[in-house]
Amino acid sequence: MGEPPRDPTSEAERLRRARRGDDAAFEAIYRDHARAIHALALRLTGNSAAAEDIVQETFLRMFGFLSGLRDDTPLRPWLKRVAANLAIDRLRREHRLADDHALAEAVDAAAPPATLAEADALLRRLPPLVRTLVWLHEMEGWSHEELAQRFNRSPSWSKSILSRALARLRAGLDPENEA
């Protein structure tokens, strides 16, 4: 029950029209992608207002970069990458990216859920940086090398954080742990 498939030809045409200043084309692009970008931003930040800000900034950046976007490249992955980077930058500005020791303690101390819960509810229990790493790696397909580069760390740093976080999430999903 996902979104209807987008017609890449019409998206390319809307991009061409948006480059020429067609507001209706830009609005159509926004309608096609804003919901997915908001969902990603909300998952990464855990804050609805921040997610709205990130959606707006993502589309402002797209508007400013229209001439550099190729017609034959799907737009959503580019928008998601911009939104993820904006979320990471926001977490940094808000000092929600903890040092390694505090981060490890936060992952280990995360309270297990009282019942089986959906993935979003479990992810919200993780600290912002951990949630961001898990989502970008597991759902958006970022490699450990990409994460390391974006966070100015080593690939082993993201592997360690992800390993601990995923173990914690698995433990929270295990009915044996609910007793």
Side-chain angles (χ1 to χ4, degrees):
M1 215 172 45
E3 297 176 26
R6 289 181 312 279
D7 178 4
T9 306
S10 61
E11 182 170 273
E13 178 57 30
R14 282 193 297 272
L15 274 173
R16 283 190 289 277
R17 289 183 12 231
R19 278 189 204 102
R20 293 190 302 263
D22 184 333
D23 289 340
F26 187 79
E27 288 173 23
I29 292 169
Y30 183 88
R31 277 192 315 273
D32 285 350
H33 301 287
R35 204 171 188 183
I37 301 310
H38 184 272
L40 173 63
L42 183 60
R43 283 185 182 99
L44 298 182
T45 65
N47 180 301
S48 186
E52 280 297 319
D53 291 346
I54 289 168
V55 169
Q56 298 306 316
E57 181 64 23
T58 298
F59 282 94
L60 284 172
R61 290 201 180 178
M62 185 203 85
F63 186 72
F65 194 66
L66 275 174
S67 63
L69 295 172
R70 292 178 35 181
D71 292 341
D72 62 342
T73 302
L75 187 55
R76 183 158 302 170
W78 185 86
L79 291 169
K80 286 178 124 181
R81 180 68 64 151
V82 170
N85 284 324
L86 288 169
I88 291 165
D89 291 343
R90 186 179 193 102
L91 292 171
R92 277 198 179 116
R93 278 194 314 276
E94 294 173 356
H95 306 291
R96 293 171 65 188
L97 300 182
D99 64 61
D100 290 345
H101 179 69
L103 187 58
E105 284 181 6
V107 172
D108 290 340
T115 62
L116 291 177
E118 63 183 88
D120 281 347
L122 288 172
L123 284 171
R124 281 192 292 270
R125 294 176 180 266
L126 296 173
L129 173 62
V130 177
R131 180 177 54 240
T132 299
L133 287 170
V134 169
W135 189 265
L136 291 177
H137 185 267
E138 297 299 315
M139 302 307 292
E140 299 297 324
W142 286 36
S143 69
H144 288 290
E145 290 73 22
E146 289 171 313
L147 291 168
Q149 182 179 7
R150 183 60 180 98
F151 287 95
N152 298 318
R153 303 293 184 117
S154 69
S156 62
W157 171 81
S158 71
K159 288 177 186 176
S160 172
I161 299 298
L162 281 164
S163 174
R164 294 173 86 153
L166 292 174
R168 189 71 190 158
L169 289 173
R170 278 191 291 279
L173 287 172
D174 185 354
E176 297 293 317
N177 291 332
E178 291 184 24

